[in-house]
Every structure is written in structure tokens, then in C-alpha cells.
Amino acid sequence: MAAGLRLEKTSKHPILQLAGETLMLDLCGGLWLPEHRTLIVSDLHLEKGSSYAARSGQFLPPYDTRETLACLHEAVIRHDPARVVALGDSFHDARGPERMEPGDRAMVAALQDGRDWVWIAGNHDAAVSEGVGGRYADALTLGNLLLRHEPSPGAAPGEIAGHLHPCGKVAMRGRAVRRRCFVTDGSRLVMPAFGAYAGGLNVRDKAIEGLFSKGFNAHLLGDGRVFAIGRAQLARD
């Protein structure tokens, strides 16, 4: 991935500072706040496959929820958080919890056991309010950080949001690599989508680029490492 480019190849889980708080960018796409013992994930889009089948008759392999939860389970085992925050669009639609297989529902319950589990409302799942454990909130403040689903349109120091599913694209020697990524300017941060079936928006799109008037770094989730890449080295689609 780094051939022919001056990329900063960081550690597997690099550490950043945001609003005086310590953030660890987990290679799985989650965010670990060690001082708060909190794991943050965004845009799980659970039951997206079953949603397509129910709404349009388009049948996708119905294993996205299980794969997403398996990745989340690995992160929870590794960090042992006191709190997990799912940063909105945790379900692809409001009826997603009704369609969950019993085994997947049991895995969610096991992940929640003994932890403060917070579901932040997203635009896909704002109507979900019961049936999957945990507690529900429109936003959550942790220390100097504000956790919410959609990024604020103006300056927002300390804000951590999702919703936009950022992906960074690097072109080199006639080839291109496109990966999910964290995006930050040191003041605010946008999380990558965590869900197995979640798509991605190029960070050079105005919806993302417009949030960072003074530039940004994208932290791409590579093979075994996170790569920090400046805006100027990122290609458009």
C-alpha cells in the first residue's frame, strides 16, 4: 500500500489526542477511550441483508449481522470495556431487531452483560427504542467529547460522529486502494462504518471535506496496520 507514496505507517492501533482526550484508533474500525474504558463503534447496519429482502425482494447472503457481531465481539474481548457506545444506524431500519436470528440476539445480550451499553439514535434506526437491551440516547457526553450520529455542520471541537462512512482512496502506479478510515483534523473526528454490509463515501466528497476547512488526515484501515494519509495524497473516485 505504501509503495511509491510517503505514507505514515502507524502502529496497529495508533493513539491520537482530541480535545484533551486520548483516543486509540482500533484496526477493527472501533475507537477505544482508555480513560473512560469506552469502546465506540459506528454504523453497524445490523440486519441490512434481511432489510433488502423484506423491502425489495433482493436477497443478499443473510450473514452480515453475524459477521459484524463477531468483529465486535473480538474488540470487546480485547478491550473489556465498561461501556460500549454504538454511534447510530446500528440497525439498517427500525424493524431490524424483530428480524434478528435468536443466536444473534443472544450474542448481543452476551456483549451487553455487565456493561453500560448505549445505542445512539441514527437516521436509519431512530425509531428503535426497545427490545435489544441497553439504553438509548440522542447524544452522549464523555469528558470533553460529544458523541453523536451525524456530524454538526459548523465547527465542533471534541465531536465524534459517524453517519458518513468515510473511505480513503490512494492511487499509485496505475492501481488504486480504497479503504475505510477515520477522518480528523485534531479538533473533531468522523468514524468509519463498522458493519459488514456498510458502504463508503470518499473522503474527498464535499459532504466530508466540507467539515474540515483547514485540511485533515485520513487513517486508513490497512492490512495489519493503520496508515495516516494527508488530504493532498488522497484521490477522488
Side-chain angles (χ1 to χ4, degrees), residues 46-132:
L46 301 174
E47 294 303 313
K48 182 173 182 176
S50 66
S51 177
Y52 273 59
R55 292 187 175 195
S56 64
Q58 181 180 355
F59 291 96
L60 301 176
Y63 308 117
D64 54 304
T65 292
R66 194 159 304 167
E67 181 177 345
T68 300
L69 292 176
C71 292
L72 182 54
H73 175 265
E74 188 276 332
V76 166
I77 291 297
R78 185 153 38 81
H79 293 294
D80 190 22
R83 179 187 299 108
V84 175
V85 180
L87 211 57
D89 285 0
S90 300
F91 291 88
H92 193 65
D93 62 63
R95 300 191 67 178
E98 301 173 25
R99 299 194 303 273
M100 288 185 76
E101 294 288 339
D104 295 336
R105 186 179 292 275
M107 181 175 284
V108 171
L111 289 170
Q112 292 173 337
D113 187 35
R115 298 182 174 89
D116 179 22
W117 190 284
V118 186
W119 303 101
I120 300 295
N123 55 297
H124 277 257
D125 58 359
V128 175
S129 61
E130 59 183 18
V132 285

Side-chain angles (χ1 to χ4, degrees), residues 59 81 88 92 103 110 115 146 150 156 163 176 187 214 216 222 225 236:
F59 291 96
H92 193 65
R115 298 182 174 89
L146 174 63
E150 295 192 36
H163 179 59
S187 177
K214 296 182 180 180
F216 58 82
R225 288 290 185 273
R236 300 180 186 275

